[in-house]
């Protein structure tokens, strides 16, 4: 008698523990750690689970359900992905299931959409016939009518409660089966290939084919072209697959010509499943690296030396210093050593421009991974990495840390300071920069962080010796940092030198730039047409129905939109409160600025880059390519335009309103403002000509603007680190923000007070709050926040264990049971 085996699985649900299932006899050899298995959870839900462990320990106290099916012949995870998931869930105080849900492409998670179908090949066992119950007979009748149904649909059609009990024996008997093809969202890419309908060595048949086509010049041409493309005559080489489209294009014949050859049984047509990112052409292993300047060579040597002592190096290089070229040389070395490289960037817009530069160097060794790809495309990239050990460069945004790397040798995090690396919602609320460093450590890989404006914590660690520090303070090929001019908008308005959103100096600078045939970038960190709509008669302003925020007007849609939950409604013609025609719009978003610039400079081409204009996959590429080719003269955008973009003809950058960055109620507001302003300023004058940056503000004496004007990172850092030390903020403390949400405001307040009191009994005055955050209601949930500040050196594992214990101890109160709680560890 064989020993019963069990699996512990991770479900894509917010559950802190794994669940145990038995392995049926027929699946014993198919289940491995990291495999996808289909399991029943609850009475009628089916999920794709990941096998975490195999064992023979039967759980006590409850009946163990069997694994329904194994979805893959091989595991879909590599070492050390499960360990990495565990670290993420422990560090960021979320569940393994939430990490799993974020990590795996949607196309690999069928969940409860799994369909049941009749098994067309079912044959009854005459020696031991399966006897249908009344309920099972009813299920069979329903399935014969509908062919394919989800469990929920089958329950509704049959009227049978707890349908799983009825269906499971029918699945075991083979009468019904799980339709995995339908369950998965993944759709493989298929191509139509052409091949000769006889063996390669059959020369006699080949001569007969030429006799058959000698009266048709186009058919003969198609046959000759196929022989040439496929390498048919060179028997020392493997026969190449030729698609119908390739043959049609190369021979310059129509598909009907190829069909005629199929009808004559010369060609045959087959469908072939391919990986979208596994190029058929031969690999070109030649890498053409850019030539480095003397300062870049010196920096590269320092990084190499640094890696001998520290596996993490910080490259502090001013904007335009050529950090990317240094990255390329390090990547090439990693590839030559047979390793893979993860090149992490904060924005999809950066992958667009960088992919063109990297592909010229690394060719088809480059893979790009981000959320604008379809589910099927992401699954194909996942499978490509899962089935190969070849050295590749993976360029991606934060979700690329979850890919199944085999030999990860180098991690490069560009613009490491960026808050875009932080996942804000939903769980896991991880920082991809920090997670990438842990991933590299698990693989034994080197890590390079690059920035012109390093994060305070990163620079502090470098100065303390925890990271290596390398500086590159010269711009590439001798170009100089741009001149920064601070424009006092109060003074400009007094002098009546402001029209719309542009001051006289900025307008004149744009005009002179256009006359010089150069380009302009205008930065406004607010999308939409106008942030404020108000009735001048009664003061009414449109509020989101689900959030405590004003709605933003989007003129091109004629809509008011909430930028927190997405709620939208039409702009009313009259004020809903007083019925008067008094609605006016105030303030400027990127849409309104673009309209104003088009009116002001009608002879020049204006484009806009923000979330509204980049929703589809190719939008980034089109906007950036048009600007790079000079089809666009003036580019207006949100923070997307501030990060790492490299355009040689930009000589002017204008910041429309710096005050929206400087006046945010958060301990990181100065850091974010300095980083963003210095980064957007760095887009100007990146070649020989000195650029100019004009920053409009009503607070020209702000200390951050002083440091930006002088490009003085060190002065800014020294001021900021003293402020952090004085008020006990990171890097001198570790912060965990705790958010409690409830649809009832009183219940939310009560839950927050109870949790805070319980925390104070353990942590004392390290607990701050509770208080309402800046936006205190989002998507119909009222919110309270609590801040926990712990000294550096305290065991954060113990702190997190205590947090979970405290929550468990009060979780059964009515207020906590109806509330949703989440943690934000190391908020950005």
């Amino acid at each position: 008698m064989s020993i019963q085996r069990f699996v512990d699985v991770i479900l894509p649900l917010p559950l802190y523990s794994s669940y145990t299932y038995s392995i049926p006899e027929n699946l014993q050899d198919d289940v491995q750690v990291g495999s996808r298995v289909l399991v029943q959870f609850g009475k009628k839900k089916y999920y794709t689970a990941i096998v975490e462990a195999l064992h023979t320990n039967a759980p006590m106290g409850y009946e163990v359900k069997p694994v329904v099916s194994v979805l893959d012949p091989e595991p879909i995870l590599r070492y050390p992905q499960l360990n990495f998931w565990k670290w993420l869930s422990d560090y960021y105080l979320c569940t393994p299931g939430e990490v799993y849900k974020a990590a795996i492409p949607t196309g690999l998670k069928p969940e409860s959409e799994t369909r049941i179908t009749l098994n067309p090949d079912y044959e009854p066992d005459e020696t031991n016939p399966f006897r249908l119950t009344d309920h099972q007979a009813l299920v069979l009748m329903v399935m014969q009518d509908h062919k394919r149904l989800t469990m929920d649909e089958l329950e509704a059609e049959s009227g049978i409660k707890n349908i799983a009990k009825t269906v499971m024996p029918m699945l075991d008997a083979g009468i019904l089966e799980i339709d995995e093809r339908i369950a998965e969202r993944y759709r493989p890419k298929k191509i139509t290939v052409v091949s000769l309908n006889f063996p390669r060595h059959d020369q006699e048949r080949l001569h007969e084919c030429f006799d058959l086509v000698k009266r048709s010049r186009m058919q003969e041409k198609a046959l000759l072209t196929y022989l040439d493309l496929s390498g048919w005559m060179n028997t020392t080489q493997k026969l190449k697959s030729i698609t119908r489209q390739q043959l049609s294009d190369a021979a310059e014949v129509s598909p009907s010509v190829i069909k005629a050859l199929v009808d004559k049984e010369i060609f045959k047509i087959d469908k072939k499943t391919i990986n979208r990112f596994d190029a058929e052409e031969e690999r070109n292993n030649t890498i053409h690296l850019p030539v480095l300047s003397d300062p870049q060579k010196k920096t590269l040597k320092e990084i190499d030396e640094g890696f001998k002592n520290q596996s993490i190096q910080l490259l502090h290089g001013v904007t335009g210093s050529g950090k990317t070229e240094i990255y390329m040389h390090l990547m090439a070395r990693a590839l030559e050593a047979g390793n893979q490289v993860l090149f992490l960037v904060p924005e999809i817009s950066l992958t667009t421009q960088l992919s063109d530069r990297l592909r010229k160097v690394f060719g088809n060794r480059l893979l790009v991974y981000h959320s604008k790809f379809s589910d099927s495309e992401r699954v194909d990239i996942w499978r490509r990495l899962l089935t190969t050990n070849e050295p590749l460069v993976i360029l991606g945004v934060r979700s690329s840390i979850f890919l199944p790397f085999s030999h990860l040798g180098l991690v490069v995090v560009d613009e490491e300071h960026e808050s875009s690396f932080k996942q804000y919602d939903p769980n896991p609320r991880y920082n991809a920069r920090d997670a990438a460093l842990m991933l590299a450590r698990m693989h034994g890989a080197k890590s390079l962080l690059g920035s012109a404006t390093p994060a305070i914590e990163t620079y502090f660690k470098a100065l303390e010796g925890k990271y290596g520090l390398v500086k590159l303070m010269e711009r590439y090929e001798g170009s100089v940092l741009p001149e920064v001019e601070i424009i006092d908008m109060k003074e400009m308005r007094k002098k009546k030198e402001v029209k719309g959103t542009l001051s006289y100096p900025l307008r004149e600078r744009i005009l002179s730039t256009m006359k010089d045939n150069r380009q302009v970038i205008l930065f406004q960190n607010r999308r939409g047409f106008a942030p404020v709509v108000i009735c001048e008669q009664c003061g009414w302003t449109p509020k989101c129905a689900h959030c405590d925020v004003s709605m933003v007007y989007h003129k091109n849609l004629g809509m008011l939109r909430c930028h927190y939950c997405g709620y939208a409604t039409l702009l009313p013609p009259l004020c809903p409160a007083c019925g008067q025609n008094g609605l006016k719009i105030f303030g400027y978003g990127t849409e309104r600025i673009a309209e104003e610039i088009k009116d002001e400079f009608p002879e020049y081409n204006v484009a806009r880059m923000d979330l509204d204009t980049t929703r589809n996959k190719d939008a980034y590429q089109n906007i950036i390519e048009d600007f790079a080719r000079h089809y666009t003269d003036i580019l207006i955008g949100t923070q997307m335009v501030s990060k790492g973009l490299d355009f040689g003809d930009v000589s002017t950058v204008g910041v429309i309103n710096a005050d929206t960055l400087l006046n945010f109620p958060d301990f990181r507001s100065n850091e974010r403002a300095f980083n963003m302003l210095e980064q957007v300023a760095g887009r100007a004058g990146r070649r020989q000509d000195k650029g100019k940056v004009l920053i409009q503000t009503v607070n020209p004496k702000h200390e951050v603007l002083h440091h930006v004007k002088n490009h003085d990172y060190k002065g800014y850092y020294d001021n900021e680190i003293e402020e952090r030390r004085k008020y006990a903020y990171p890097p001198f403390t570790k912060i965990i923000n705790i958010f409690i949400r409830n649809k009832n405001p009183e219940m939310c307040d009560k839950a927050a007070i109870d949790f805070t009191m319980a925390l104070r009994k353990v942590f004392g005055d390290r607990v701050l709050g509770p208080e309402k955050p800046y936006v205190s209601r989002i998507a119909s949930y009222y919110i309270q926040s609590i801040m926990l500040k712990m000294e550096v050196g305290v065991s954060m594992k113990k702190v997190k264990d205590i947090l979970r214990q405290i929550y468990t101890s009060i979780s059964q109160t009515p207020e906590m049971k109806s509330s949703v709680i989440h943690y934000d560890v190391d908020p950005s």
Side-chain angles (χ1 to χ4, degrees):
M1 183 178 175
S2 61
I3 299 173
Q4 178 64 63
R5 298 174 69 207
F6 300 89
V7 290
D8 294 337
V9 302
I10 301 171
L11 290 153
L13 299 169
L15 305 167
Y16 279 105
S17 58
S18 56
Y19 282 75
T20 303
Y21 289 81
S22 62
I23 307 175
E25 187 72 31
N26 63 319
L27 299 179
Q28 292 280 337
D29 296 331
D30 299 331
V31 180
Q32 302 176 59
V33 172
S35 294
R36 288 190 311 158
V37 293
L38 195 67
V39 296
Q40 181 187 3
F41 187 74
K43 291 184 177 180
K44 58 183 180 180
K45 290 288 186 181
Y46 285 79
Y47 291 96
T48 303
I50 299 292
V51 175
E52 184 182 37
L54 294 162
H55 58 86
T56 56
N57 303 319
M60 303 296 290
Y62 64 91
E63 182 183 352
V64 182
K65 294 174 183 174
V67 169
V68 175
S69 65
V70 182
L71 299 181
D72 303 284
E74 300 291 337
I76 66 158
L77 301 182
R78 286 184 183 268
Y79 179 84
Q81 281 179 286
L82 281 172
N83 289 342
F84 183 52
W85 289 10
K86 186 176 187 308
W87 177 83
L88 282 166
S89 65
D90 286 344
Y91 189 84
Y92 290 104
L93 287 166
C94 60
T95 67
E98 289 168 318
V99 177
Y100 161 33
K101 201 160 187 177
I104 299 291
T106 306
L108 292 176
K109 299 193 294 280
E111 298 190 8
S112 55
E113 292 182 11
T114 301
R115 262 74 169 176
I116 306 295
T117 64
L118 286 171
N119 181 2
D121 300 322
Y122 172 67
E123 293 181 3
D125 184 348
E126 294 180 3
T127 60
N128 186 23
F130 183 85
R131 301 189 184 281
L132 294 172
T133 65
D134 291 343
H135 278 177
Q136 288 166 346
L138 179 56
V139 165
L140 192 59
M141 290 173 59
V142 170
M143 292 306 303
Q144 286 169 342
D145 289 339
H146 293 276
K147 307 300 182 189
R148 185 182 291 119
L149 293 171
T150 66
M151 295 291 270
D152 288 350
E153 291 167 345
L154 183 55
E155 183 167 289
E157 289 290 333
S158 65
I160 300 171
K161 300 297 182 185
N162 194 11
I163 194 76
K165 282 188 177 180
T166 303
V167 168
M168 287 304 294
M170 299 176 75
L171 286 168
D172 293 338
I175 300 169
L176 302 178
E177 62 182 5
I178 299 292
D179 186 352
E180 293 160 14
R181 293 176 299 105
I182 300 300
E184 296 198 17
R185 296 180 180 89
Y186 171 63
R187 293 291 179 267
K189 182 177 181 179
K190 295 188 177 182
I191 56 172
T192 304
V193 294
V194 179
S195 59
L196 285 176
N197 201 15
F198 52 89
R200 194 174 187 179
H201 60 267
D202 194 342
Q203 295 297 316
E204 185 178 341
R205 175 60 181 153
L206 182 60
H207 288 300
E208 290 174 3
C209 292
F210 275 109
D211 289 338
L212 287 171
V213 300
K214 64 184 178 183
R215 293 185 179 180
S216 171
R217 186 175 63 83
M218 300 308 287
Q219 290 179 21
E220 186 179 50
K221 186 180 180 184
L223 179 55
L224 284 167
T225 302
Y226 172 80
L227 294 173
D228 180 48
L229 291 177
S230 65
W232 176 277
M233 305 305 292
N234 187 354
T235 55
T236 61
Q237 292 184 355
K238 183 181 176 182
L239 202 63
K240 293 180 183 177
S241 291
I242 306 300
T243 68
R244 183 168 57 189
Q245 190 63 50
Q246 281 177 309
L247 181 57
S248 180
D249 292 344
E252 298 180 332
V253 299
S254 67
S256 61
V257 173
I258 297 172
K259 184 178 183 303
L261 291 165
V262 173
D263 293 341
K264 290 180 179 180
E265 298 186 350
I266 296 173
F267 282 162
K268 64 178 179 179
I269 299 291
D270 294 297
K271 290 283 187 181
K272 181 180 177 184
T273 299
I274 65 165
N275 189 303
R276 291 167 176 83
F277 301 94
D278 191 7
E280 284 284 319
E281 66 267 19
E282 293 180 11
R283 306 279 177 210
N284 180 7
N285 293 323
T286 304
I287 294 176
H288 302 285
L289 286 167
V291 177
L292 298 182
S293 65
D294 288 340
Q296 287 174 317
K297 289 176 182 175
K298 180 175 178 290
T299 301
L300 180 59
K301 185 177 180 182
E302 288 177 12
I303 293 170
D304 285 334
E305 289 298 316
F307 275 144
K308 293 176 182 178
N309 301 311
Q310 293 275 10
S311 61
I312 302 173
Q313 296 288 308
L314 169 64
L315 171 55
H316 180 203
V318 296
T319 56
S321 58
K323 294 186 289 293
T324 304
E325 286 78 8
I326 294 171
Y327 299 157
M328 289 177 183
H329 279 258
L330 290 166
M331 291 174 191
R333 293 179 190 177
L335 295 181
E336 287 166 7
N339 292 322
Q340 294 171 340
V341 178
L342 172 60
F343 188 3
L344 207 60
V345 294
E347 287 277 359
I348 295 172
S349 57
L350 284 185
T351 67
T352 300
Q353 193 179 48
L354 276 171
S355 63
D356 293 338
R357 296 174 66 185
L358 293 173
R359 205 169 297 283
K360 290 175 184 175
V361 176
F362 300 111
N364 50 25
R365 291 188 182 195
L366 176 72
L367 290 179
V368 183
Y369 188 81
H370 56 66
S371 60
K372 293 294 181 183
F373 284 152
S374 68
D375 285 340
S376 294
E377 287 173 319
R378 276 181 278 173
V379 170
D380 270 347
I381 293 174
W382 187 283
R383 290 193 191 281
R384 167 81 184 278
L385 283 169
L386 195 65
T387 56
T388 183
N389 293 322
E390 64 184 306
L392 295 166
V393 174
I394 292 84
L395 170 64
V397 292
R398 60 177 180 251
S399 58
S400 56
I401 64 170
F402 295 114
L403 287 167
F405 299 99
S406 55
H407 297 290
L408 187 62
L410 176 66
V411 171
V412 177
V413 184
D414 195 24
E415 311 293 354
E416 65 82 27
H417 64 277
E418 270 295 338
S419 59
S420 300
F421 282 126
K422 178 74 171 180
Q423 163 77 9
Y424 288 100
D425 196 52
N427 273 336
R429 291 171 168 83
Y430 65 98
N431 187 307
R433 175 199 61 204
D434 300 339
L437 295 180
M438 177 54 68
L439 179 69
R441 181 178 169 186
M442 289 181 172
H443 279 272
K446 305 295 186 184
S447 300
L448 179 65
L449 307 175
S451 177
T453 56
I456 294 293
E457 289 95 321
T458 304
Y459 201 71
F460 180 81
K461 288 176 181 177
L463 294 180
E464 291 283 298
K466 293 180 180 177
Y467 299 164
L469 176 61
V470 179
K471 295 185 179 183
L472 180 57
M473 296 292 107
E474 296 179 42
R475 275 193 152 189
Y476 187 63
E477 291 185 340
S479 60
V480 295
L481 289 166
E483 175 191 350
V484 178
E485 180 181 346
I486 309 298
I487 299 172
D488 186 345
M489 293 300 283
K490 284 183 180 178
E491 192 65 27
M492 288 289 112
R493 289 192 177 99
K494 283 181 184 177
K495 295 179 179 179
K496 300 191 183 310
E497 292 185 351
V498 177
K499 181 182 176 183
T501 189
L502 299 181
S503 63
Y504 175 78
L506 180 53
R507 181 181 288 102
E508 288 300 300
R509 177 68 189 189
I510 293 171
L511 190 58
S512 65
T513 303
M514 293 296 98
K515 287 178 179 177
D516 291 340
N517 198 31
R518 306 304 292 275
Q519 292 173 294
V520 173
I521 289 177
L522 296 178
F523 170 71
Q524 170 74 333
N525 203 32
R526 183 171 279 159
R527 63 188 174 96
F529 188 82
V532 179
V533 177
I534 193 167
C535 175
E536 291 188 318
Q537 303 296 325
C538 69
W540 176 85
T541 185
K543 297 277 188 181
C544 175
H546 310 291
C547 308
D548 283 343
V549 291
S550 298
M551 300 182 75
V552 176
Y553 178 50
H554 290 249
K555 186 177 181 181
N556 66 324
L557 301 172
M559 303 286 285
L560 294 164
R561 280 189 176 277
C562 173
H563 288 177
Y564 282 84
C565 72
Y567 174 74
T569 184
L570 289 169
L571 178 70
L574 300 174
C575 174
C578 67
Q580 299 297 307
N581 186 16
L583 292 181
K584 299 293 181 184
I585 58 174
F586 297 93
Y588 286 84
T590 49
E591 184 185 352
R592 188 175 188 181
I593 293 168
E595 184 178 286
E596 180 182 306
I597 296 296
K598 286 176 184 176
D599 291 341
E600 186 76 16
F601 305 98
E603 64 271 41
Y604 300 107
N605 295 320
V606 178
R608 178 163 58 99
M609 189 162 78
D610 55 29
L611 187 61
D612 298 320
T613 61
T614 56
R615 291 191 184 276
N616 68 56
K617 178 182 171 183
D618 298 321
Y620 290 100
Q621 185 82 23
N622 295 336
I623 293 170
I624 288 171
E625 283 184 359
D626 285 351
F627 196 63
R629 292 171 181 168
H630 232 301
Y631 298 162
T632 302
D633 301 300
I634 303 172
L635 179 63
I636 299 154
T638 55
Q639 58 181 335
M640 292 178 185
V641 301
S642 71
K643 301 171 185 177
L645 297 175
D646 183 28
F647 301 109
D649 282 338
V650 175
S651 64
T652 297
V653 167
V655 177
I656 301 298
N657 183 1
D659 304 300
T660 57
L661 300 172
L662 297 168
N663 300 323
F664 203 78
D666 182 77
F667 80 92
R668 291 192 193 274
S669 62
N670 279 359
E671 181 179 7
R672 276 194 292 264
F674 177 84
N675 290 350
M676 202 169 291
L677 291 171
E678 183 66 16
Q679 289 286 339
V680 76
R683 300 315 107 203
R686 294 175 71 89
R687 299 299 182 263
Q688 295 302 321
D689 296 341
K690 185 174 183 177
K692 187 165 185 179
V693 181
L694 297 94
I695 300 175
Q696 299 184 155
T697 176
V698 297
N699 188 9
K701 296 188 183 300
H702 198 290
E703 61 176 355
V704 166
L705 297 179
H706 168 74
H707 295 303
V708 172
K709 181 179 174 64
N710 296 309
H711 302 291
D712 181 16
Y713 175 82
K714 188 62 169 63
Y716 148 75
Y717 171 83
D718 289 341
N719 283 353
E720 185 67 18
I721 202 72
E722 283 310 308
E723 287 286 304
R724 300 278 186 95
R725 195 191 308 272
K726 181 178 178 181
Y727 295 106
Y729 279 111
F732 304 104
T733 55
K734 295 282 286 184
I735 288 181
I736 300 174
N737 283 337
I738 304 163
F739 294 94
I740 294 173
R741 297 183 296 155
N742 197 303
K743 290 189 175 182
N744 182 308
E746 289 79 20
M747 297 280 269
C748 184
D749 293 348
K750 179 70 166 56
I753 291 169
D754 289 349
F755 199 24
T756 302
M757 297 302 292
L759 289 171
R760 284 212 176 101
K761 289 179 181 177
V762 178
F763 297 112
D765 58 7
R766 299 179 184 88
V767 181
L768 305 177
E771 65 178 10
K772 292 181 179 179
Y774 181 66
V775 179
S776 60
R777 184 174 64 111
I778 297 176
S780 298
Y781 279 91
Y782 293 88
I783 307 169
Q784 287 279 358
S785 68
I786 306 163
M787 179 184 285
L788 181 60
K789 291 168 74 173
M790 301 301 301
E791 303 89 335
V792 172
V794 170
S795 169
M796 293 306 290
K797 183 182 185 306
K798 289 183 180 178
V799 170
K800 291 165 186 175
D801 288 343
I802 292 168
L803 282 175
R804 288 197 178 106
Q805 291 167 12
I806 291 173
Y807 174 72
T808 301
S809 68
I810 63 172
S811 62
Q812 296 306 306
T813 65
E815 294 81 14
M816 292 304 292
K817 284 179 76 173
S818 62
S819 296
V820 178
I821 185 168
H822 76 256
Y823 305 90
D824 187 4
V825 180
D826 301 335
S828 292

